[in-house]
Amino acid sequence: MDQLQEIVGLVGGVLGSEVVGGYLHGSAVLGGLRPASDLDVLVVSRRSMADREREALLRGLLGLSGFTGGLRPVELTVVVQSEVRPWRFPPTGDFLYGEWLRAEFTAGTVPRPEPMPDLALLVTMVLTGDHPLVGPPPARVLDPVPHADLIRASLAGLPGLLDELDTDRRNVVLTLARVWSTLATGEIRPKDAAADWALPRLPPSHRPVLEHARNLYLGHRYSEETWPEHLKAQAGPYAKRVLAEIDRLSPS
């Protein structure tokens, strides 16, 4: 909670009265924080940030996010309200901070506005979680996302996701299961719940990879993560099988 309060204070110090609302989402709201879970925050602003504001927010987040000293990694997204209300796809995000981008940020990159299909998923999770950190309830700030756009957003991220199968195996394996369950049911589940949904629907030969990723998610930090060689070898065939299920459910 101290880390969240500092994030809220940082956003308020940078954007002040331009903040419409700030909302916690992701694991913290939908299923409970796990050892390696990010703190996921969506900030809705009245306007796009100036360069000095982007730089100040980035500097603050570099100090508030991480894996050591009792910190959790932070994923903070800022969106201008007029970009998502009325809703349209793909929306434009104004600012995105995530630990996976730290090397780019420390090298001098500053987050800029860009199309963010993932905002369809984030907005849906925010509305479902209904957990304001500052401002009114999210239903007063955000429009619901049509199911078709949830599907489009889920599918848009697949090529980049698959590129990371060897370097971020746990998250890729679990996210594939979540995309599958979202397409099949229209519900965005926490990663472990998506695995629970997918496991009985997989052939037995593909279940060990997903079971291992689920167990890592529930009980281990990234620094504690290990993959036996036989499961590494099975990750590719697992991904191929889940992609076939996703393709079967995808709009033609």
Side-chain angles (χ1 to χ4, degrees), residues 53-86:
E53 292 168 326
R54 296 178 186 280
E55 293 163 2
L57 187 56
L58 177 60
R59 282 196 304 272
L61 289 167
L62 286 168
L64 289 178
S65 172
F67 296 95
T68 60
L71 295 177
R72 284 188 178 272
V74 174
E75 181 177 331
L76 186 138
T77 307
V78 181
V79 64
V80 178
Q81 188 178 29
S82 61
E83 291 291 336
V84 291
R85 192 174 202 186

PDB file of all heavy atoms in Angstrom, residues 53-86:
ATOM      1  N   GLU A  53       6.399  16.939 -18.235  1.00  0.00           N
ATOM      2  CA  GLU A  53       5.588  16.077 -17.384  1.00  0.00           C
ATOM      3  C   GLU A  53       5.930  14.606 -17.626  1.00  0.00           C
ATOM      4  O   GLU A  53       6.017  13.813 -16.685  1.00  0.00           O
ATOM      5  CB  GLU A  53       4.108  16.336 -17.643  1.00  0.00           C
ATOM      6  CG  GLU A  53       3.654  17.716 -17.187  1.00  0.00           C
ATOM      7  CD  GLU A  53       2.270  18.083 -17.689  1.00  0.00           C
ATOM      8  OE1 GLU A  53       1.907  17.679 -18.821  1.00  0.00           O
ATOM      9  OE2 GLU A  53       1.543  18.783 -16.952  1.00  0.00           O
ATOM     10  N   ARG A  54       6.133  14.237 -18.877  1.00  0.00           N
ATOM     11  CA  ARG A  54       6.531  12.862 -19.200  1.00  0.00           C
ATOM     12  C   ARG A  54       7.857  12.515 -18.524  1.00  0.00           C
ATOM     13  O   ARG A  54       8.026  11.438 -17.960  1.00  0.00           O
ATOM     14  CB  ARG A  54       6.668  12.686 -20.714  1.00  0.00           C
ATOM     15  CG  ARG A  54       5.398  12.872 -21.466  1.00  0.00           C
ATOM     16  CD  ARG A  54       5.589  12.739 -22.991  1.00  0.00           C
ATOM     17  NE  ARG A  54       4.331  13.080 -23.624  1.00  0.00           N
ATOM     18  CZ  ARG A  54       3.302  12.261 -23.729  1.00  0.00           C
ATOM     19  NH1 ARG A  54       3.416  11.011 -23.273  1.00  0.00           N
ATOM     20  NH2 ARG A  54       2.175  12.644 -24.290  1.00  0.00           N
ATOM     21  N   GLU A  55       8.794  13.436 -18.626  1.00  0.00           N
ATOM     22  CA  GLU A  55      10.113  13.184 -18.045  1.00  0.00           C
ATOM     23  C   GLU A  55      10.032  13.088 -16.529  1.00  0.00           C
ATOM     24  O   GLU A  55      10.694  12.243 -15.908  1.00  0.00           O
ATOM     25  CB  GLU A  55      11.069  14.298 -18.479  1.00  0.00           C
ATOM     26  CG  GLU A  55      11.366  14.261 -19.987  1.00  0.00           C
ATOM     27  CD  GLU A  55      11.958  15.556 -20.505  1.00  0.00           C
ATOM     28  OE1 GLU A  55      12.171  16.487 -19.679  1.00  0.00           O
ATOM     29  OE2 GLU A  55      12.187  15.652 -21.724  1.00  0.00           O
ATOM     30  N   ALA A  56       9.227  13.946 -15.896  1.00  0.00           N
ATOM     31  CA  ALA A  56       9.092  13.904 -14.435  1.00  0.00           C
ATOM     32  C   ALA A  56       8.411  12.610 -13.980  1.00  0.00           C
ATOM     33  O   ALA A  56       8.832  11.983 -12.999  1.00  0.00           O
ATOM     34  CB  ALA A  56       8.298  15.117 -13.956  1.00  0.00           C
ATOM     35  N   LEU A  57       7.382  12.194 -14.705  1.00  0.00           N
ATOM     36  CA  LEU A  57       6.700  10.954 -14.337  1.00  0.00           C
ATOM     37  C   LEU A  57       7.618   9.759 -14.521  1.00  0.00           C
ATOM     38  O   LEU A  57       7.669   8.856 -13.676  1.00  0.00           O
ATOM     39  CB  LEU A  57       5.431  10.796 -15.179  1.00  0.00           C
ATOM     40  CG  LEU A  57       4.497   9.632 -14.818  1.00  0.00           C
ATOM     41  CD1 LEU A  57       4.066   9.703 -13.356  1.00  0.00           C
ATOM     42  CD2 LEU A  57       3.265   9.633 -15.732  1.00  0.00           C
ATOM     43  N   LEU A  58       8.377   9.753 -15.591  1.00  0.00           N
ATOM     44  CA  LEU A  58       9.311   8.661 -15.835  1.00  0.00           C
ATOM     45  C   LEU A  58      10.376   8.599 -14.751  1.00  0.00           C
ATOM     46  O   LEU A  58      10.674   7.516 -14.217  1.00  0.00           O
ATOM     47  CB  LEU A  58       9.953   8.825 -17.212  1.00  0.00           C
ATOM     48  CG  LEU A  58      11.015   7.792 -17.577  1.00  0.00           C
ATOM     49  CD1 LEU A  58      10.448   6.378 -17.560  1.00  0.00           C
ATOM     50  CD2 LEU A  58      11.622   8.114 -18.944  1.00  0.00           C
ATOM     51  N   ARG A  59      10.962   9.729 -14.403  1.00  0.00           N
ATOM     52  CA  ARG A  59      11.992   9.750 -13.340  1.00  0.00           C
ATOM     53  C   ARG A  59      11.436   9.186 -12.044  1.00  0.00           C
ATOM     54  O   ARG A  59      12.083   8.380 -11.362  1.00  0.00           O
ATOM     55  CB  ARG A  59      12.486  11.177 -13.104  1.00  0.00           C
ATOM     56  CG  ARG A  59      13.468  11.703 -14.125  1.00  0.00           C
ATOM     57  CD  ARG A  59      14.175  12.945 -13.605  1.00  0.00           C
ATOM     58  NE  ARG A  59      13.250  13.993 -13.216  1.00  0.00           N
ATOM     59  CZ  ARG A  59      12.760  14.931 -14.026  1.00  0.00           C
ATOM     60  NH1 ARG A  59      13.117  14.926 -15.315  1.00  0.00           N
ATOM     61  NH2 ARG A  59      11.934  15.862 -13.588  1.00  0.00           N
ATOM     62  N   GLY A  60      10.242   9.596 -11.694  1.00  0.00           N
ATOM     63  CA  GLY A  60       9.654   9.111 -10.454  1.00  0.00           C
ATOM     64  C   GLY A  60       9.396   7.615 -10.477  1.00  0.00           C
ATOM     65  O   GLY A  60       9.666   6.912  -9.504  1.00  0.00           O
ATOM     66  N   LEU A  61       8.896   7.105 -11.597  1.00  0.00           N
ATOM     67  CA  LEU A  61       8.584   5.679 -11.695  1.00  0.00           C
ATOM     68  C   LEU A  61       9.836   4.828 -11.690  1.00  0.00           C
ATOM     69  O   LEU A  61       9.833   3.705 -11.142  1.00  0.00           O
ATOM     70  CB  LEU A  61       7.760   5.410 -12.953  1.00  0.00           C
ATOM     71  CG  LEU A  61       6.317   5.931 -12.891  1.00  0.00           C
ATOM     72  CD1 LEU A  61       5.676   5.902 -14.271  1.00  0.00           C
ATOM     73  CD2 LEU A  61       5.499   5.125 -11.889  1.00  0.00           C
ATOM     74  N   LEU A  62      10.912   5.313 -12.258  1.00  0.00           N
ATOM     75  CA  LEU A  62      12.169   4.555 -12.218  1.00  0.00           C
ATOM     76  C   LEU A  62      12.633   4.321 -10.783  1.00  0.00           C
ATOM     77  O   LEU A  62      13.283   3.315 -10.488  1.00  0.00           O
ATOM     78  CB  LEU A  62      13.255   5.285 -13.021  1.00  0.00           C
ATOM     79  CG  LEU A  62      13.113   5.214 -14.544  1.00  0.00           C
ATOM     80  CD1 LEU A  62      14.057   6.213 -15.215  1.00  0.00           C
ATOM     81  CD2 LEU A  62      13.394   3.797 -15.049  1.00  0.00           C
ATOM     82  N   GLY A  63      12.269   5.243  -9.896  1.00  0.00           N
ATOM     83  CA  GLY A  63      12.635   5.080  -8.494  1.00  0.00           C
ATOM     84  C   GLY A  63      11.615   4.324  -7.667  1.00  0.00           C
ATOM     85  O   GLY A  63      11.953   3.807  -6.595  1.00  0.00           O
ATOM     86  N   LEU A  64      10.374   4.238  -8.163  1.00  0.00           N
ATOM     87  CA  LEU A  64       9.304   3.599  -7.389  1.00  0.00           C
ATOM     88  C   LEU A  64       9.017   2.170  -7.814  1.00  0.00           C
ATOM     89  O   LEU A  64       8.243   1.480  -7.146  1.00  0.00           O
ATOM     90  CB  LEU A  64       8.003   4.413  -7.537  1.00  0.00           C
ATOM     91  CG  LEU A  64       7.957   5.765  -6.830  1.00  0.00           C
ATOM     92  CD1 LEU A  64       6.637   6.457  -7.119  1.00  0.00           C
ATOM     93  CD2 LEU A  64       8.128   5.582  -5.329  1.00  0.00           C
ATOM     94  N   SER A  65       9.604   1.729  -8.913  1.00  0.00           N
ATOM     95  CA  SER A  65       9.303   0.416  -9.469  1.00  0.00           C
ATOM     96  C   SER A  65      10.551  -0.442  -9.478  1.00  0.00           C
ATOM     97  O   SER A  65      11.658   0.052  -9.701  1.00  0.00           O
ATOM     98  CB  SER A  65       8.774   0.585 -10.901  1.00  0.00           C
ATOM     99  OG  SER A  65       8.633  -0.660 -11.549  1.00  0.00           O
ATOM    100  N   GLY A  66      10.389  -1.743  -9.239  1.00  0.00           N
ATOM    101  CA  GLY A  66      11.545  -2.624  -9.296  1.00  0.00           C
ATOM    102  C   GLY A  66      11.265  -3.974  -8.666  1.00  0.00           C
ATOM    103  O   GLY A  66      10.117  -4.308  -8.349  1.00  0.00           O
ATOM    104  N   PHE A  67      12.332  -4.734  -8.466  1.00  0.00           N
ATOM    105  CA  PHE A  67      12.216  -6.089  -7.918  1.00  0.00           C
ATOM    106  C   PHE A  67      12.927  -6.236  -6.580  1.00  0.00           C
ATOM    107  O   PHE A  67      12.928  -7.320  -6.000  1.00  0.00           O
ATOM    108  CB  PHE A  67      12.815  -7.102  -8.906  1.00  0.00           C
ATOM    109  CG  PHE A  67      12.081  -7.165 -10.222  1.00  0.00           C
ATOM    110  CD1 PHE A  67      12.510  -6.427 -11.304  1.00  0.00           C
ATOM    111  CD2 PHE A  67      10.960  -7.969 -10.364  1.00  0.00           C
ATOM    112  CE1 PHE A  67      11.837  -6.491 -12.520  1.00  0.00           C
ATOM    113  CE2 PHE A  67      10.278  -8.045 -11.572  1.00  0.00           C
ATOM    114  CZ  PHE A  67      10.721  -7.303 -12.650  1.00  0.00           C
ATOM    115  N   THR A  68      13.553  -5.177  -6.090  1.00  0.00           N
ATOM    116  CA  THR A  68      14.323  -5.262  -4.858  1.00  0.00           C
ATOM    117  C   THR A  68      13.848  -4.194  -3.871  1.00  0.00           C
ATOM    118  O   THR A  68      13.069  -3.304  -4.222  1.00  0.00           O
ATOM    119  CB  THR A  68      15.828  -5.063  -5.142  1.00  0.00           C
ATOM    120  OG1 THR A  68      16.030  -3.766  -5.739  1.00  0.00           O
ATOM    121  CG2 THR A  68      16.349  -6.132  -6.088  1.00  0.00           C
ATOM    122  N   GLY A  69      14.348  -4.294  -2.646  1.00  0.00           N
ATOM    123  CA  GLY A  69      14.035  -3.294  -1.634  1.00  0.00           C
ATOM    124  C   GLY A  69      12.575  -3.235  -1.255  1.00  0.00           C
ATOM    125  O   GLY A  69      12.063  -2.183  -0.850  1.00  0.00           O
ATOM    126  N   GLY A  70      11.876  -4.359  -1.385  1.00  0.00           N
ATOM    127  CA  GLY A  70      10.468  -4.384  -1.035  1.00  0.00           C
ATOM    128  C   GLY A  70       9.543  -3.833  -2.095  1.00  0.00           C
ATOM    129  O   GLY A  70       8.329  -3.750  -1.873  1.00  0.00           O
ATOM    130  N   LEU A  71      10.094  -3.451  -3.245  1.00  0.00           N
ATOM    131  CA  LEU A  71       9.273  -2.895  -4.320  1.00  0.00           C
ATOM    132  C   LEU A  71       8.695  -3.995  -5.193  1.00  0.00           C
ATOM    133  O   LEU A  71       9.266  -5.072  -5.336  1.00  0.00           O
ATOM    134  CB  LEU A  71      10.109  -1.964  -5.205  1.00  0.00           C
ATOM    135  CG  LEU A  71      10.663  -0.691  -4.577  1.00  0.00           C
ATOM    136  CD1 LEU A  71      11.529   0.055  -5.587  1.00  0.00           C
ATOM    137  CD2 LEU A  71       9.532   0.206  -4.073  1.00  0.00           C
ATOM    138  N   ARG A  72       7.572  -3.690  -5.802  1.00  0.00           N
ATOM    139  CA  ARG A  72       7.045  -4.496  -6.893  1.00  0.00           C
ATOM    140  C   ARG A  72       7.252  -3.739  -8.205  1.00  0.00           C
ATOM    141  O   ARG A  72       7.291  -2.497  -8.218  1.00  0.00           O
ATOM    142  CB  ARG A  72       5.547  -4.757  -6.699  1.00  0.00           C
ATOM    143  CG  ARG A  72       5.236  -5.810  -5.649  1.00  0.00           C
ATOM    144  CD  ARG A  72       3.762  -6.146  -5.643  1.00  0.00           C
ATOM    145  NE  ARG A  72       3.457  -7.189  -4.673  1.00  0.00           N
ATOM    146  CZ  ARG A  72       3.506  -8.482  -4.927  1.00  0.00           C
ATOM    147  NH1 ARG A  72       3.847  -8.892  -6.144  1.00  0.00           N
ATOM    148  NH2 ARG A  72       3.212  -9.376  -3.999  1.00  0.00           N
ATOM    149  N   PRO A  73       7.353  -4.462  -9.313  1.00  0.00           N
ATOM    150  CA  PRO A  73       7.371  -3.774 -10.600  1.00  0.00           C
ATOM    151  C   PRO A  73       6.035  -3.088 -10.844  1.00  0.00           C
ATOM    152  O   PRO A  73       4.976  -3.604 -10.461  1.00  0.00           O
ATOM    153  CB  PRO A  73       7.618  -4.900 -11.613  1.00  0.00           C
ATOM    154  CG  PRO A  73       7.209  -6.144 -10.911  1.00  0.00           C
ATOM    155  CD  PRO A  73       7.457  -5.925  -9.449  1.00  0.00           C
ATOM    156  N   VAL A  74       6.094  -1.928 -11.456  1.00  0.00           N
ATOM    157  CA  VAL A  74       4.903  -1.130 -11.730  1.00  0.00           C
ATOM    158  C   VAL A  74       4.650  -1.103 -13.234  1.00  0.00           C
ATOM    159  O   VAL A  74       5.587  -0.935 -14.029  1.00  0.00           O
ATOM    160  CB  VAL A  74       5.077   0.317 -11.213  1.00  0.00           C
ATOM    161  CG1 VAL A  74       3.892   1.194 -11.627  1.00  0.00           C
ATOM    162  CG2 VAL A  74       5.255   0.317  -9.700  1.00  0.00           C
ATOM    163  N   GLU A  75       3.404  -1.299 -13.611  1.00  0.00           N
ATOM    164  CA  GLU A  75       2.975  -1.006 -14.978  1.00  0.00           C
ATOM    165  C   GLU A  75       1.948   0.105 -14.889  1.00  0.00           C
ATOM    166  O   GLU A  75       0.859  -0.085 -14.337  1.00  0.00           O
ATOM    167  CB  GLU A  75       2.381  -2.226 -15.661  1.00  0.00           C
ATOM    168  CG  GLU A  75       1.947  -1.931 -17.104  1.00  0.00           C
ATOM    169  CD  GLU A  75       1.420  -3.139 -17.845  1.00  0.00           C
ATOM    170  OE1 GLU A  75       1.851  -4.270 -17.520  1.00  0.00           O
ATOM    171  OE2 GLU A  75       0.573  -2.960 -18.746  1.00  0.00           O
ATOM    172  N   LEU A  76       2.314   1.284 -15.369  1.00  0.00           N
ATOM    173  CA  LEU A  76       1.438   2.445 -15.285  1.00  0.00           C
ATOM    174  C   LEU A  76       1.134   2.948 -16.689  1.00  0.00           C
ATOM    175  O   LEU A  76       2.047   3.225 -17.470  1.00  0.00           O
ATOM    176  CB  LEU A  76       2.060   3.550 -14.440  1.00  0.00           C
ATOM    177  CG  LEU A  76       1.128   4.753 -14.199  1.00  0.00           C
ATOM    178  CD1 LEU A  76       1.230   5.239 -12.755  1.00  0.00           C
ATOM    179  CD2 LEU A  76       1.452   5.910 -15.149  1.00  0.00           C
ATOM    180  N   THR A  77      -0.146   3.057 -16.981  1.00  0.00           N
ATOM    181  CA  THR A  77      -0.609   3.539 -18.277  1.00  0.00           C
ATOM    182  C   THR A  77      -1.419   4.807 -18.057  1.00  0.00           C
ATOM    183  O   THR A  77      -2.269   4.862 -17.159  1.00  0.00           O
ATOM    184  CB  THR A  77      -1.497   2.490 -18.963  1.00  0.00           C
ATOM    185  OG1 THR A  77      -0.799   1.243 -19.018  1.00  0.00           O
ATOM    186  CG2 THR A  77      -1.877   2.925 -20.365  1.00  0.00           C
ATOM    187  N   VAL A  78      -1.141   5.820 -18.860  1.00  0.00           N
ATOM    188  CA  VAL A  78      -1.935   7.047 -18.845  1.00  0.00           C
ATOM    189  C   VAL A  78      -2.667   7.150 -20.179  1.00  0.00           C
ATOM    190  O   VAL A  78      -2.071   6.976 -21.239  1.00  0.00           O
ATOM    191  CB  VAL A  78      -1.058   8.298 -18.635  1.00  0.00           C
ATOM    192  CG1 VAL A  78      -1.930   9.559 -18.598  1.00  0.00           C
ATOM    193  CG2 VAL A  78      -0.232   8.179 -17.348  1.00  0.00           C
ATOM    194  N   VAL A  79      -3.958   7.428 -20.100  1.00  0.00           N
ATOM    195  CA  VAL A  79      -4.757   7.618 -21.312  1.00  0.00           C
ATOM    196  C   VAL A  79      -5.564   8.902 -21.165  1.00  0.00           C
ATOM    197  O   VAL A  79      -6.049   9.221 -20.074  1.00  0.00           O
ATOM    198  CB  VAL A  79      -5.679   6.408 -21.565  1.00  0.00           C
ATOM    199  CG1 VAL A  79      -6.703   6.236 -20.454  1.00  0.00           C
ATOM    200  CG2 VAL A  79      -6.369   6.522 -22.915  1.00  0.00           C
ATOM    201  N   VAL A  80      -5.670   9.653 -22.244  1.00  0.00           N
ATOM    202  CA  VAL A  80      -6.511  10.845 -22.257  1.00  0.00           C
ATOM    203  C   VAL A  80      -7.965  10.401 -22.399  1.00  0.00           C
ATOM    204  O   VAL A  80      -8.297   9.577 -23.256  1.00  0.00           O
ATOM    205  CB  VAL A  80      -6.108  11.779 -23.407  1.00  0.00           C
ATOM    206  CG1 VAL A  80      -7.019  13.003 -23.458  1.00  0.00           C
ATOM    207  CG2 VAL A  80      -4.643  12.215 -23.252  1.00  0.00           C
ATOM    208  N   GLN A  81      -8.842  10.939 -21.565  1.00  0.00           N
ATOM    209  CA  GLN A  81     -10.220  10.451 -21.531  1.00  0.00           C
ATOM    210  C   GLN A  81     -10.894  10.520 -22.894  1.00  0.00           C
ATOM    211  O   GLN A  81     -11.628   9.601 -23.286  1.00  0.00           O
ATOM    212  CB  GLN A  81     -11.041  11.229 -20.500  1.00  0.00           C
ATOM    213  CG  GLN A  81     -12.432  10.638 -20.280  1.00  0.00           C
ATOM    214  CD  GLN A  81     -13.223  11.381 -19.228  1.00  0.00           C
ATOM    215  OE1 GLN A  81     -13.037  12.575 -19.016  1.00  0.00           O
ATOM    216  NE2 GLN A  81     -14.117  10.683 -18.546  1.00  0.00           N
ATOM    217  N   SER A  82     -10.633  11.569 -23.655  1.00  0.00           N
ATOM    218  CA  SER A  82     -11.294  11.720 -24.957  1.00  0.00           C
ATOM    219  C   SER A  82     -10.842  10.668 -25.966  1.00  0.00           C
ATOM    220  O   SER A  82     -11.481  10.491 -27.009  1.00  0.00           O
ATOM    221  CB  SER A  82     -11.037  13.122 -25.524  1.00  0.00           C
ATOM    222  OG  SER A  82      -9.641  13.347 -25.713  1.00  0.00           O
ATOM    223  N   GLU A  83      -9.741   9.950 -25.655  1.00  0.00           N
ATOM    224  CA  GLU A  83      -9.294   8.874 -26.537  1.00  0.00           C
ATOM    225  C   GLU A  83     -10.060   7.575 -26.338  1.00  0.00           C
ATOM    226  O   GLU A  83     -10.021   6.682 -27.187  1.00  0.00           O
ATOM    227  CB  GLU A  83      -7.795   8.619 -26.325  1.00  0.00           C
ATOM    228  CG  GLU A  83      -6.891   9.723 -26.812  1.00  0.00           C
ATOM    229  CD  GLU A  83      -6.879   9.853 -28.325  1.00  0.00           C
ATOM    230  OE1 GLU A  83      -7.185   8.847 -29.012  1.00  0.00           O
ATOM    231  OE2 GLU A  83      -6.576  10.951 -28.822  1.00  0.00           O
ATOM    232  N   VAL A  84     -10.741   7.451 -25.193  1.00  0.00           N
ATOM    233  CA  VAL A  84     -11.456   6.205 -24.896  1.00  0.00           C
ATOM    234  C   VAL A  84     -12.935   6.419 -24.563  1.00  0.00           C
ATOM    235  O   VAL A  84     -13.651   5.444 -24.319  1.00  0.00           O
ATOM    236  CB  VAL A  84     -10.770   5.449 -23.727  1.00  0.00           C
ATOM    237  CG1 VAL A  84      -9.420   4.918 -24.156  1.00  0.00           C
ATOM    238  CG2 VAL A  84     -10.640   6.330 -22.485  1.00  0.00           C
ATOM    239  N   ARG A  85     -13.361   7.664 -24.574  1.00  0.00           N
ATOM    240  CA  ARG A  85     -14.767   7.959 -24.328  1.00  0.00           C
ATOM    241  C   ARG A  85     -15.210   9.094 -25.217  1.00  0.00           C
ATOM    242  O   ARG A  85     -14.773  10.222 -24.992  1.00  0.00           O
ATOM    243  CB  ARG A  85     -15.004   8.295 -22.855  1.00  0.00           C
ATOM    244  CG  ARG A  85     -16.474   8.313 -22.496  1.00  0.00           C
ATOM    245  CD  ARG A  85     -16.685   8.498 -21.016  1.00  0.00           C
ATOM    246  NE  ARG A  85     -17.999   7.993 -20.639  1.00  0.00           N
ATOM    247  CZ  ARG A  85     -18.502   8.141 -19.420  1.00  0.00           C
ATOM    248  NH1 ARG A  85     -17.816   8.733 -18.466  1.00  0.00           N
ATOM    249  NH2 ARG A  85     -19.695   7.657 -19.146  1.00  0.00           N
ATOM    250  N   PRO A  86     -16.023   8.843 -26.232  1.00  0.00           N
ATOM    251  CA  PRO A  86     -16.596   7.544 -26.591  1.00  0.00           C
ATOM    252  C   PRO A  86     -15.524   6.561 -27.060  1.00  0.00           C
ATOM    253  O   PRO A  86     -14.513   6.947 -27.647  1.00  0.00           O
ATOM    254  CB  PRO A  86     -17.569   7.879 -27.720  1.00  0.00           C
ATOM    255  CG  PRO A  86     -17.035   9.136 -28.307  1.00  0.00           C
ATOM    256  CD  PRO A  86     -16.450   9.903 -27.159  1.00  0.00           C
TER     257      PRO A  86
END
